[in-house]
């Protein structure tokens, strides 16, 4: 739309091999950068609860080879890796890379589960505390909090619902900066209908997740402007970033396996 440019194409929810993603931070940067389309991405690997059952099962299955959580001991090395790749991304692709984490609670009692992204935090945040405390800690660190897939209800037995924040939105709305109205292939219309501030992310775990819901922001390409644009939530739009070259049948296949996996 003439006069309404430029919007920045953004994805604020990306996992790497620091938790359960398939690609390293460097490979993620190259994948997004080489499209020539993206302006802003955030690396948001999982911080899990100490006794996360799924991670324990996963570690057993991979004989301890794969880590599923950015533990306190690994957090500084994680931030250094993201900072290094962020510099490279800016130089090579003019891509802004924001550090972050997804503070992930997978209780057996799924009513209590929340997944909260913390953008641009400087210190590790434990997942072993109530969601309210996590949100306060993100504020204290002057980060931005995102309620991830807040309306994701269990549809399969091994899946985990993450509705705690949404179910308690009256109490928590002031503490949550923004809600994911779309995650990968899913649109949570109930979020936007309530006029909450919204955002759309891929929840990237593997290359095909590049093609998914994304956010358009109209602001300058630096952290302060992006944070302000997310919070004020005025010049914002959701967009479905599609693979122009893939067939409808391929897209259908992606949808069937994409939505449920890796949560
Ligand atoms: Zn995620
Ligand atoms: Zn999640």
């Amino acid at each position: 739309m003439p006069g309404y440019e430029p919007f920045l194409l953004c994805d604020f929810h990306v996992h790497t091999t620091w938790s359960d993603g398939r690609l390293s931070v460097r490979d993620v940067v190259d994948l997004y950068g080489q499209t020539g389309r993206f302006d802003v991405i955030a690396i948001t690997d999982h911080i899990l609860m100490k006794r996360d059952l799924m991670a324990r099962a996963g570690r057993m299955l991979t004989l301890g080879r794969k880590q599923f959580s950015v533990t306190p001991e690994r957090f500084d090395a994680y931030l250094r890796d993201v900072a290094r790749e962020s510099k490279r991304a800016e130089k090579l692709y003019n891509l802004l890379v924001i550090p972050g984490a997804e503070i992930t609670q997978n209780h057996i009692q799924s009513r209590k589960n929340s997944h909260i992204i913390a953008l641009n935090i400087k210190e590790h945040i434990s997942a072993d505390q109530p969601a309210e405390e996590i949100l306060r800690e993100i504020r204290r660190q002057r980060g931005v909090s995102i309620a991830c897939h807040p309306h994701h209800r269990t549809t399969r037995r091994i899946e985990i619902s993450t509705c705690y924040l949404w179910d308690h939105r009256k109490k928590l709305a002031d503490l949550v900066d923004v809600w994911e109205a779309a995650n990968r292939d899913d649109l949570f219309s109930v979020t936007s209908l309530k006029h909450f501030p919204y955002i759309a992310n891929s929840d990237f775990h593997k290359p095909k997740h590049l093609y998914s819901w994304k956010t358009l922001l109209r602001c300058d390409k630096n952290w302060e402007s992006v944070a302000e644009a997310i919070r004020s939530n005025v010049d914002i739009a959701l967009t479905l970033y599609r693979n122009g070259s893939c067939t409808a049948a391929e897209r259908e296949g992606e949808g069937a396996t994409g939505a449920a996996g890796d949560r």
Side-chain angles (χ1 to χ4, degrees), residues 13 15 20 44 46 102-106 114-117 148-149 152 162 180 183-184 203 205 262-263:
H13 190 162
H15 298 279
D20 59 350
T44 57
H46 291 286
E102 182 174 4
I103 326 293
T104 304
Q105 299 186 315
N106 295 328
S114 66
H115 289 192
I116 302 170
I117 281 183
C148 305
H149 36 82
H152 181 73
T162 49
E180 265 182 0
N183 178 289
R184 199 174 302 158
D203 205 349
H205 284 79
D262 296 315
R263 244 175 217 142

Side-chain angles (χ1 to χ4, degrees), residues 56 62 64-65 68 81 84 124 149 167 173 204-205 209 257:
R56 273 158 125 194
T62 60
R65 276 194 302 271
F68 295 88
D81 186 27
R84 203 164 38 232
H124 184 271
H149 36 82
D167 289 345
F204 181 96
H205 284 79
H209 296 162
T257 53

Side-chain angles (χ1 to χ4, degrees), residues 16-81:
T16 74
T17 46
W18 280 97
S19 61
D20 59 350
R22 293 262 179 90
L23 304 184
S24 65
V25 179
R26 171 160 291 201
D27 288 345
V28 160
V29 161
D30 286 336
L31 182 73
Y32 280 78
Q34 283 166 10
T35 63
R37 301 280 303 277
F38 282 87
D39 298 287
V40 187
I41 62 169
I43 305 296
T44 57
D45 276 299
H46 291 286
I47 292 176
L48 299 175
M49 298 188 307
K50 284 206 185 82
R51 295 169 61 84
D52 187 290
L53 292 173
M54 308 252 277
R56 273 158 125 194
R59 273 195 298 271
M60 272 163 71
L61 280 171
T62 60
L63 303 174
R65 276 194 302 271
K66 202 160 155 34
Q67 291 279 352
F68 295 88
S69 176
V70 185
T71 57
E73 301 76 44
R74 302 168 79 219
F75 191 71
D76 286 347
Y78 167 68
L79 285 190
R80 280 198 300 275
D81 186 27

